[in-house]
Amino acid sequence: MYKIPSLPSSDKKPRAIAILTSGGDSPGMNPAIRGVVRAALHKGIKVYGVTKGYSGLIIGDMTEMNSASVTNIVQRGGTLLKSDRCLAFKDPAVRHQAAMVLKEKDIDALIVIGGDGSLTGAHLLTQENNINVIGLPGTIDNDIYGTDDTIGFDTAVNTALDAIDKIRDTALSHESLFLVEVMGRNSGFIATHVGIACGAEMVVVPEYETKAETICFQLANNRLLGKGASGIIVVAEGQTPGLTTHLANVLAQHQLEAKVCILGHIQRGGSPSGHDRVLASCLGAAAVDYLCAGYNDVMIGVRDSIITDTPLKQVIEKNKKLDDAFFQLALLLHK
Amino acid sequence: MYKIPSLPSSDKKPRAIAILTSGGDSPGMNPAIRGVVRAALHKGIKVYGVTKGYSGLIIGDMTEMNSASVTNIVQRGGTLLKSDRCLAFKDPAVRHQAAMVLKEKDIDALIVIGGDGSLTGAHLLTQENNINVIGLPGTIDNDIYGTDDTIGFDTAVNTALDAIDKIRDTALSHESLFLVEVMGRNSGFIATHVGIACGAEMVVVPEYETKAETICFQLANNRLLGKGASGIIVVAEGQTPGLTTHLANVLAQHQLEAKVCILGHIQRGGSPSGHDRVLASCLGAAAVDYLCAGYNDVMIGVRDSIITDTPLKQVIEKNKKLDDAFFQLALLLHK
Amino acid sequence: MYKIPSLPSSDKKPRAIAILTSGGDSPGMNPAIRGVVRAALHKGIKVYGVTKGYSGLIIGDMTEMNSASVTNIVQRGGTLLKSDRCLAFKDPAVRHQAAMVLKEKDIDALIVIGGDGSLTGAHLLTQENNINVIGLPGTIDNDIYGTDDTIGFDTAVNTALDAIDKIRDTALSHESLFLVEVMGRNSGFIATHVGIACGAEMVVVPEYETKAETICFQLANNRLLGKGASGIIVVAEGQTPGLTTHLANVLAQHQLEAKVCILGHIQRGGSPSGHDRVLASCLGAAAVDYLCAGYNDVMIGVRDSIITDTPLKQVIEKNKKLDDAFFQLALLLHK
Amino acid sequence: MYKIPSLPSSDKKPRAIAILTSGGDSPGMNPAIRGVVRAALHKGIKVYGVTKGYSGLIIGDMTEMNSASVTNIVQRGGTLLKSDRCLAFKDPAVRHQAAMVLKEKDIDALIVIGGDGSLTGAHLLTQENNINVIGLPGTIDNDIYGTDDTIGFDTAVNTALDAIDKIRDTALSHESLFLVEVMGRNSGFIATHVGIACGAEMVVVPEYETKAETICFQLANNRLLGKGASGIIVVAEGQTPGLTTHLANVLAQHQLEAKVCILGHIQRGGSPSGHDRVLASCLGAAAVDYLCAGYNDVMIGVRDSIITDTPLKQVIEKNKKLDDAFFQLALLLHK
């Protein structure tokens, strides 16, 4: 349950808005779209759905949405509006073109659901052009400053857990050790949550160095405690492809045989969890409220259970930190 | 991710503690037990697991637990320690007997995982006897003051959603209306979250009166919006058994045929969600920290993402309110 | 894996066919529709999808389908074409009207996916009018003569099991007894499969009388064997509503307290299982093959792993029996 | 529902049997163990559970099981008895040692649940030593002659489908192509079932050669049919590690960008499906029946829905073929 702020009235209510999803898709983008559309229609605002993110925006690929456009999508993974990574949008001229498209259609504002790169595009669009933008954090990685939770993170954690619960069946049956790679190039949010939640023997994340010796020592110690020879080590993918396979090779040099599982793209899809559906619905509806209250160039997120705004500039420039005490808990509990 | 407070050191570290689960079981009790056991052992504290809640405590049915006792339970529904609703514990003499049992075994403190009734028992036990207690909120209903989230709530919401996603297949195929009853005798937390997350046409909760005429009007309006004739209405069970069937009869008098589904006990069980496993793990470990820092007669919960304590007296006497703006969102989004 | 017969060539290939789903929806109807559509288009046959079963057929509510019409439906529960129970179709004049609709559109044949009542309608339609029909068994109950498996049965069993696995968490935690009612008005197929697969202490089906005394004796005996006081009894709903609640009352008179869970409509929906998707895909494609080979007035099902046809007259008149040795196994294994 | 044969009576009823699981674990091994144990106890036969397959057998690591030993395992993945790949068992002297262990404990017969290699060990054991053996087909790959279905195959198909349903969300949202590798070193059973059931654009299996040009042509054709640019190609892993990545490289040379997902070990674990629990329960109970009827050196499987025996010699020497018409169906339906 989120606390939804009561915003001051303003005369800034847009007549028409556009909405797009951008970057890697994440489960919950659909309920976020639904939240925006239903809330906007409720206030008498026209809504245009843009196809394929910024790529569609540039060429004006959008259609007006009504209440029925978002019926029966709340439970669907992926994004109804499709998504894209649009490199062209890094060019100011292309962003200007996008602004022209919106103005020609009398669209006052744009709501962008996506990750860091997508929100950077939104920030530049409004800075350079007279178009209001609101961002929503849509990524499974949870590595967005200004919000405790991103849309899709909870589902990704549950999907990874589901997979690891299955892998543990085999680990226990064969008394074997598995290295399971989860998503997270720059951050260990998924890995740490998954590690605590699956009872991992160890969690390896980009934020902390983990020596192979530490893993070997830890596992040896667990066996002494009578916990059996099986084990799961959760590894965030990090920035170097092949990290987990490399780690397995290093462990092999320490006489510790481990199998590697890379969970990969299954973490992006699937029906959004209840948590993500509620979060996305609240943020989608709030995005419209903030627009109507005259806000611009902000991301709407949730901090300490309160729906709140953060300037996009901060969102882009600052990094969300993995809480140290929280990470230590993952290591403590496996003992 | 929860912020875990750094507690001041104290000389109150218990030598031995007992842990029990009480009242209706909820998914996440097992990772909470694991959190307590592993954190306590880490600090050199002995842990006894009590079988069947207060019923087992009274007769001293408990065994010492080691690290391996809680291996491979983090993903299991129910409670390893079993649970019970112990009416006898309402008697001060019986509570005194329980305290004697603990003292005989040199146990300094008791951690109780359960709902309102179970926490009341814990509060009275420490008030009347020289036994420290810490409570943890374990119930799917989320109706506990002092914590934003209870252990099991998130899983129950997901389980109900899973069921309703299936029911919607039939609702859509037959263009029919379903009344789905979810748990919640005194509160509409499950119903409201589920209602937002499943895209319900209406949510009926104990906190607000919902007239049959309103439902009929709402559904007629939705059809005008082109949303089709199918629909899901989520109903919290409330205090009067048969509420949902009664509502179906009233709707029938308004020429609105609706089928009734009562989700019932499936909402209590199942593998805990990632959210509940992380919450339960944090609270379990924190319970030990608070004990060691000298706290007594408090419940450890999470407020605004921070692990925090609330006196059990307040927990028992105060009611957690359903946020009005949040509830209104459920009604807004179905339009 | 099904053995797919090689059918003799014929000059009976229809130019255009219609397809409809009728009666209670079942998971797998969508892949069956897809199988029909893709196989027909492959052979150069036009396909019309009829909306809402016989109700839509009568009024000519149908649209031509192409390959893309059935993209991304294989994993969806319910039926894309919607379904209905059409009482009017019991009238020969109405069936004649339906035949006229088909002839006006130059449609040579109709494929009907549904249960007993729906297949009876198909049989009468072809007997009275010069329209070829092929039936496919689409019902979760598995009570159709001429096929070992019906489309939707496997998914329904899995859905019920999922629910019961959750209920067992509570049963074990509280050492309590649950009566779980599954679908099956006339037959115990779901109940028996579910009973074997969930490790039920007892299975109650319409085909056999089960005395309350037998249940009490069985449970008492299980406790003597050290199997604990918890238990699941699976009950097929039978023809009298309230059967399971009645049974709970009778058990209460024998000092055996049991909680009642009625799984209800969740058994009809949900993403079809792999088994049902494969079965439905094979049967859908085979229906087109049999039409092209000149078959009429038959149902295509699977017997002993071979795709095969059975005259609709037999399908309607005969009853599929629950194998006695198979049912006895359910009772044997709980011991 | 399987037809369970009525076997002739014999005087061969063993006094005591042992049971083990061997090779890669598969979901359903637990209900198979339960079936053996409960059926044997029912007939008054002692049962010993051997830990870690042949490795445990050689050193006599086994314990007597009672009815409660197999309570609450029917829904668990993996194997209670643990499993192992025991290379030492290829040595006749080691097999002789195993026979000695059994004889010392007055055990007349051994039931082995596993794949090809495990059943070979069982066959040699009985050929060389006076120990009766019965094999049960336990492997997810379904590549065992003498049975239509192996224990674990249905669950593995469902697990792979679950993953691919999630991947398709991303494929559709990004209009991208995925190569998904499923298990199957020597056979395309999993790949073909998964391919039909997930609506794959193409299925690549060891039994048939698939040229990159064919894939490119097929996908180009699908786009012409209006089916969109997204796609799933299911690839059986085959005998050469890296096959799927290689295929992606070849496609890239044809200007077809495809992402690679390797499902890996998640396919081995997880709660067994209803189908696998019923199959395993029937085969487990039947294994005891066949032993009592005097059978030896056979595998009990299911053919054309009938529980039946096949000499282990045949099981080992013959290969089960992928039905050609069935495979062609996978290719037909994607069009």
Side-chain angles (χ1 to χ4, degrees):
Chain A
M1 191 172 63
Y2 300 106
K3 283 155 213 146
I4 299 173
S6 175
L7 298 173
S9 64
S10 94
D11 56 354
K12 300 290 182 55
K13 194 181 91 173
R15 285 157 303 164
I17 62 172
I19 175 170
L20 61 81
T21 49
S22 168
D25 63 319
S26 72
M29 284 184 163
N30 279 330
I33 295 167
R34 175 177 173 267
V36 168
V37 171
R38 293 271 165 91
L41 294 176
H42 185 67
K43 287 176 186 285
I45 302 167
K46 273 192 182 183
V47 192
Y48 291 87
V50 181
T51 304
K52 295 195 75 170
Y54 292 123
S55 305
L57 180 62
I58 300 166
I59 57 169
D61 185 359
M62 59 181 78
T63 47
E64 197 179 336
M65 301 180 86
N66 59 31
S67 186
S69 309
V70 291
T71 288
N72 199 27
I73 66 162
V74 78
Q75 80 278 33
R76 305 278 186 226
T79 161
L80 177 74
L81 295 176
K82 298 191 172 168
S83 188
D84 202 21
R85 296 182 199 273
C86 177
L87 294 178
F89 209 70
K90 295 197 171 179
D91 177 352
V94 168
R95 291 194 293 267
H96 182 69
Q97 185 186 334
M100 289 300 101
V101 164
L102 292 167
K103 281 172 187 168
E104 268 167 36
K105 291 188 189 278
D106 273 332
I107 296 172
D108 309 309
L110 176 69
I111 294 175
V112 171
I113 310 172
D116 222 54
S118 308
L119 298 176
T120 302
H123 172 60
L124 294 173
L125 180 69
T126 189
Q127 288 286 316
E128 299 160 355
N129 304 277
N130 188 22
I131 287 289
N132 284 355
V133 303
I134 297 275
L136 293 182
T139 167
I140 61 167
D141 290 332
N142 203 22
D143 57 348
I144 305 274
Y145 181 84
T147 190
D148 292 343
D149 250 341
T150 57
I151 297 167
F153 172 64
D154 183 67
T155 306
V157 168
N158 279 311
T159 299
L161 279 175
D162 229 49
I164 294 177
D165 287 349
K166 292 186 208 297
I167 291 169
R168 196 174 275 282
D169 286 338
T170 294
L172 285 166
S173 297
H174 286 269
E175 296 187 345
S176 54
L177 179 66
F178 280 87
L179 298 180
V180 183
E181 182 178 302
V182 298
M183 284 194 172
R185 288 217 177 122
N186 308 302
S187 69
F189 292 104
I190 291 182
T192 308
H193 279 76
V194 166
I196 291 176
C198 81
E201 269 65 30
M202 179 69 63
V203 179
V204 180
V205 297
E207 289 90 341
Y208 298 87
E209 196 195 0
T210 308
K211 292 191 175 154
E213 286 78 8
T214 312
I215 297 178
C216 296
F217 175 79
Q218 179 61 48
L219 289 165
N221 197 43
N222 282 356
R223 290 176 197 204
L224 288 180
L225 288 169
K227 287 178 61 197
S230 79
I232 303 283
I233 296 174
V234 176
V235 185
E237 62 180 330
Q239 293 195 314
T240 325
L243 171 67
T244 309
T245 306
H246 174 70
L247 185 56
N249 293 337
V250 174
L251 290 179
Q253 290 163 18
H254 289 78
Q255 275 69 50
L256 205 57
E257 198 199 344
K259 284 168 182 147
V260 171
C261 286
I262 295 170
L263 296 188
H265 272 87
I266 59 167
Q267 294 166 84
R268 284 209 184 289
S271 180
S273 70
H275 181 94
D276 275 332
R277 295 190 204 179
V278 170
L279 173 67
S281 299
C282 287
L283 293 183
V288 175
D289 287 347
Y290 275 89
L291 265 183
C292 291
Y295 287 72
N296 179 34
D297 205 7
V298 296
M299 182 189 77
I300 311 304
V302 60
R303 283 196 293 200
D304 298 345
S305 302
I306 302 162
I307 303 292
T308 191
D309 63 297
T310 306
L312 281 174
K313 193 164 184 299
Q314 279 184 36
V315 170
I316 298 159
E317 289 175 356
K318 295 193 177 179
N319 286 319
K320 182 160 65 176
K321 292 258 166 49
L322 185 62
D323 187 78
D324 186 59
F326 187 74
F327 179 72
Q328 296 305 330
L329 187 67
L331 303 187
L332 168 69
L333 289 174
H334 64 186
K335 285 179 183 169
Chain B
M1 190 171 66
Y2 300 106
K3 281 154 216 148
I4 298 172
S6 175
L7 298 172
S9 65
S10 94
D11 57 354
K12 301 289 182 57
K13 194 181 89 172
R15 285 157 303 166
I17 62 172
I19 175 169
L20 61 81
T21 50
S22 167
D25 62 318
S26 72
M29 283 182 162
N30 279 331
I33 295 166
R34 175 175 173 270
V36 167
V37 171
R38 294 268 165 93
L41 294 176
H42 184 68
K43 287 177 187 286
I45 303 168
K46 273 194 183 183
V47 193
Y48 291 87
V50 181
T51 304
K52 294 195 78 170
Y54 292 122
S55 305
L57 180 62
I58 301 166
I59 57 171
D61 185 359
M62 60 183 75
T63 46
E64 197 180 335
M65 301 179 86
N66 59 31
S67 186
S69 309
V70 291
T71 287
N72 199 26
I73 68 162
V74 78
Q75 79 277 33
R76 305 278 186 224
T79 160
L80 176 75
L81 295 175
K82 297 194 174 167
S83 188
D84 201 20
R85 296 182 198 276
C86 176
L87 294 178
F89 210 69
K90 296 196 172 182
D91 178 352
V94 169
R95 291 194 294 267
H96 182 70
Q97 184 186 334
M100 288 301 101
V101 166
L102 291 167
K103 282 171 188 168
E104 269 167 37
K105 291 188 189 276
D106 272 332
I107 296 171
D108 311 308
L110 175 68
I111 294 176
V112 171
I113 310 172
D116 221 54
S118 308
L119 299 176
T120 302
H123 172 62
L124 294 173
L125 180 68
T126 189
Q127 287 288 316
E128 299 160 357
N129 303 278
N130 188 22
I131 286 290
N132 283 356
V133 303
I134 296 274
L136 294 181
T139 165
I140 61 166
D141 290 334
N142 202 21
D143 57 347
I144 305 274
Y145 181 85
T147 189
D148 294 342
D149 253 339
T150 56
I151 297 167
F153 172 64
D154 183 68
T155 307
V157 168
N158 279 312
T159 300
L161 279 175
D162 229 49
I164 295 177
D165 287 349
K166 291 186 208 296
I167 291 168
R168 196 174 275 282
D169 286 338
T170 295
L172 286 165
S173 298
H174 286 269
E175 297 188 343
S176 56
L177 179 66
F178 279 86
L179 298 179
V180 182
E181 183 177 302
V182 297
M183 284 194 172
R185 286 218 179 123
N186 309 301
S187 69
F189 291 105
I190 292 181
T192 307
H193 278 77
V194 165
I196 290 176
C198 81
E201 270 65 31
M202 179 70 63
V203 179
V204 180
V205 298
E207 288 90 339
Y208 297 87
E209 195 194 2
T210 309
K211 292 191 176 155
E213 287 79 8
T214 311
I215 296 178
C216 296
F217 175 80
Q218 179 61 48
L219 289 165
N221 196 44
N222 281 357
R223 290 176 195 203
L224 288 180
L225 288 169
K227 289 178 58 197
S230 79
I232 303 283
I233 295 174
V234 175
V235 185
E237 62 180 331
Q239 294 195 315
T240 327
L243 172 67
T244 309
T245 307
H246 174 68
L247 184 57
N249 293 337
V250 174
L251 289 180
Q253 289 164 18
H254 289 77
Q255 274 72 51
L256 207 56
E257 199 198 342
K259 283 168 182 147
V260 171
C261 286
I262 295 170
L263 297 187
H265 272 88
I266 58 168
Q267 294 165 85
R268 282 211 186 288
S271 178
S273 68
H275 181 95
D276 275 332
R277 296 190 204 178
V278 170
L279 173 67
S281 299
C282 287
L283 294 182
V288 175
D289 287 345
Y290 275 89
L291 266 183
C292 291
Y295 286 72
N296 178 33
D297 205 9
V298 296
M299 181 189 79
I300 312 304
V302 59
R303 281 195 295 198
D304 299 344
S305 302
I306 302 161
I307 303 291
T308 191
D309 63 298
T310 307
L312 281 173
K313 193 165 186 299
Q314 279 183 38
V315 170
I316 298 157
E317 289 175 357
K318 294 194 178 179
N319 286 318
K320 182 160 67 176
K321 292 259 165 48
L322 184 62
D323 186 77
D324 186 60
F326 187 74
F327 179 71
Q328 296 305 328
L329 186 69
L331 303 186
L332 168 69
L333 288 175
H334 62 186
K335 283 181 184 170
Chain C
M1 191 172 63
Y2 300 107
K3 282 155 214 147
I4 298 173
S6 177
L7 297 173
S9 64
S10 93
D11 56 355
K12 300 291 182 58
K13 193 181 91 173
R15 284 156 304 166
I17 63 171
I19 174 169
L20 61 81
T21 50
S22 168
D25 62 317
S26 72
M29 284 184 161
N30 278 332
I33 295 167
R34 175 177 173 267
V36 167
V37 170
R38 294 269 167 91
L41 294 177
H42 184 68
K43 287 177 187 286
I45 302 169
K46 274 192 182 183
V47 192
Y48 291 89
V50 181
T51 305
K52 296 196 74 169
Y54 292 123
S55 304
L57 180 61
I58 300 166
I59 57 170
D61 186 359
M62 60 181 77
T63 46
E64 196 178 336
M65 301 179 87
N66 59 32
S67 186
S69 309
V70 291
T71 288
N72 198 27
I73 67 163
V74 77
Q75 81 276 36
R76 305 277 185 225
T79 160
L80 176 76
L81 294 176
K82 297 193 173 167
S83 187
D84 201 21
R85 296 183 197 275
C86 177
L87 295 178
F89 210 70
K90 296 197 170 180
D91 177 352
V94 169
R95 292 193 294 265
H96 181 69
Q97 185 186 333
M100 288 301 100
V101 165
L102 291 168
K103 281 171 187 169
E104 269 167 35
K105 291 187 191 277
D106 273 333
I107 296 170
D108 309 310
L110 176 69
I111 294 176
V112 171
I113 310 172
D116 221 55
S118 308
L119 298 177
T120 303
H123 172 62
L124 295 173
L125 180 69
T126 190
Q127 288 287 316
E128 299 160 358
N129 304 276
N130 188 21
I131 287 290
N132 283 357
V133 303
I134 297 276
L136 294 182
T139 167
I140 61 167
D141 290 333
N142 203 20
D143 58 346
I144 305 274
Y145 181 84
T147 189
D148 292 343
D149 251 340
T150 57
I151 297 167
F153 172 65
D154 183 67
T155 307
V157 168
N158 279 311
T159 300
L161 279 175
D162 229 48
I164 295 176
D165 287 349
K166 292 186 207 298
I167 292 168
R168 194 175 278 280
D169 286 337
T170 296
L172 285 165
S173 297
H174 287 269
E175 296 188 345
S176 55
L177 179 65
F178 279 87
L179 298 180
V180 183
E181 182 178 302
V182 297
M183 283 194 172
R185 287 218 178 122
N186 309 302
S187 68
F189 291 104
I190 291 181
T192 308
H193 278 76
V194 166
I196 291 176
C198 81
E201 269 66 31
M202 180 69 62
V203 179
V204 180
V205 297
E207 288 89 341
Y208 297 88
E209 197 194 0
T210 308
K211 291 192 177 155
E213 286 79 8
T214 311
I215 296 177
C216 297
F217 175 80
Q218 178 61 48
L219 290 165
N221 196 43
N222 282 356
R223 290 176 197 205
L224 289 180
L225 288 168
K227 287 179 59 197
S230 79
I232 304 283
I233 296 174
V234 176
V235 185
E237 63 180 329
Q239 294 196 313
T240 325
L243 170 67
T244 309
T245 308
H246 174 70
L247 183 57
N249 293 338
V250 174
L251 290 179
Q253 289 163 19
H254 290 76
Q255 275 72 49
L256 206 56
E257 198 198 343
K259 284 170 183 145
V260 171
C261 286
I262 295 170
L263 297 187
H265 272 88
I266 58 168
Q267 295 165 84
R268 284 208 183 290
S271 179
S273 68
H275 180 95
D276 274 333
R277 296 189 203 180
V278 169
L279 173 67
S281 298
C282 287
L283 293 183
V288 174
D289 287 346
Y290 276 89
L291 266 183
C292 291
Y295 287 72
N296 179 34
D297 205 8
V298 295
M299 182 189 77
I300 311 304
V302 58
R303 282 196 292 200
D304 298 345
S305 302
I306 302 161
I307 304 291
T308 190
D309 63 298
T310 307
L312 280 174
K313 194 165 185 301
Q314 278 184 36
V315 170
I316 299 159
E317 289 175 355
K318 294 195 178 178
N319 286 318
K320 181 160 66 175
K321 291 258 167 47
L322 185 62
D323 186 78
D324 187 59
F326 186 75
F327 179 72
Q328 296 306 329
L329 186 67
L331 303 187
L332 167 69
L333 288 175
H334 64 185
K335 282 179 187 169
Chain D
M1 191 172 63
Y2 301 105
K3 282 155 214 147
I4 298 172
S6 177
L7 298 173
S9 64
S10 93
D11 56 355
K12 300 288 181 60
K13 195 181 89 171
R15 284 158 304 164
I17 62 173
I19 174 170
L20 61 82
T21 50
S22 168
D25 62 318
S26 72
M29 283 183 163
N30 278 331
I33 294 166
R34 176 177 172 266
V36 167
V37 171
R38 294 270 165 91
L41 294 177
H42 185 68
K43 288 177 187 286
I45 302 168
K46 273 193 182 183
V47 192
Y48 291 87
V50 181
T51 303
K52 295 195 75 172
Y54 293 122
S55 306
L57 180 61
I58 300 165
I59 58 170
D61 186 359
M62 60 181 77
T63 48
E64 196 179 338
M65 302 178 86
N66 60 31
S67 186
S69 310
V70 291
T71 288
N72 199 27
I73 67 161
V74 77
Q75 81 277 34
R76 306 277 186 225
T79 161
L80 177 74
L81 294 175
K82 298 192 174 168
S83 187
D84 201 20
R85 297 182 197 275
C86 177
L87 294 178
F89 210 68
K90 295 196 173 183
D91 176 353
V94 169
R95 290 195 294 268
H96 181 69
Q97 182 185 336
M100 287 302 99
V101 165
L102 292 168
K103 281 172 188 167
E104 268 167 39
K105 291 186 190 278
D106 272 333
I107 296 171
D108 310 309
L110 175 70
I111 294 177
V112 171
I113 310 173
D116 222 54
S118 308
L119 298 176
T120 302
H123 171 62
L124 295 172
L125 180 68
T126 190
Q127 288 285 318
E128 299 160 357
N129 304 278
N130 188 23
I131 286 289
N132 282 357
V133 304
I134 296 275
L136 293 181
T139 166
I140 61 167
D141 290 333
N142 203 20
D143 58 347
I144 304 274
Y145 181 84
T147 188
D148 293 343
D149 252 338
T150 56
I151 297 167
F153 172 64
D154 183 67
T155 306
V157 168
N158 279 311
T159 299
L161 279 175
D162 230 47
I164 295 178
D165 288 349
K166 291 186 209 296
I167 292 169
R168 194 174 277 281
D169 287 337
T170 295
L172 285 165
S173 297
H174 286 269
E175 297 187 343
S176 55
L177 179 66
F178 279 86
L179 298 181
V180 183
E181 182 176 302
V182 297
M183 283 193 170
R185 288 220 176 121
N186 309 302
S187 68
F189 291 105
I190 291 181
T192 308
H193 278 77
V194 165
I196 291 176
C198 81
E201 270 65 30
M202 180 69 63
V203 179
V204 180
V205 297
E207 289 89 340
Y208 297 88
E209 195 194 2
T210 308
K211 292 190 176 156
E213 287 78 7
T214 312
I215 297 178
C216 296
F217 176 80
Q218 179 60 48
L219 289 165
N221 197 42
N222 282 356
R223 290 176 196 202
L224 289 180
L225 288 169
K227 289 179 60 198
S230 79
I232 304 283
I233 296 174
V234 176
V235 185
E237 62 181 331
Q239 294 194 315
T240 325
L243 170 67
T244 309
T245 306
H246 174 69
L247 184 56
N249 293 337
V250 174
L251 290 180
Q253 290 163 17
H254 290 75
Q255 273 72 49
L256 207 56
E257 198 199 342
K259 285 169 181 144
V260 170
C261 286
I262 295 169
L263 297 187
H265 272 87
I266 59 168
Q267 295 166 83
R268 284 211 185 286
S271 179
S273 69
H275 180 94
D276 275 332
R277 297 191 203 177
V278 170
L279 173 68
S281 299
C282 287
L283 293 183
V288 175
D289 288 346
Y290 276 89
L291 266 183
C292 292
Y295 287 73
N296 178 33
D297 205 8
V298 295
M299 181 189 78
I300 313 303
V302 58
R303 282 196 293 201
D304 300 344
S305 303
I306 302 162
I307 303 292
T308 190
D309 64 297
T310 307
L312 280 174
K313 193 164 186 300
Q314 278 184 38
V315 170
I316 298 159
E317 290 176 355
K318 294 194 178 180
N319 287 318
K320 182 159 67 174
K321 291 259 166 50
L322 184 62
D323 187 78
D324 186 60
F326 187 74
F327 179 72
Q328 295 306 328
L329 187 67
L331 303 187
L332 168 69
L333 288 175
H334 63 184
K335 285 180 184 169

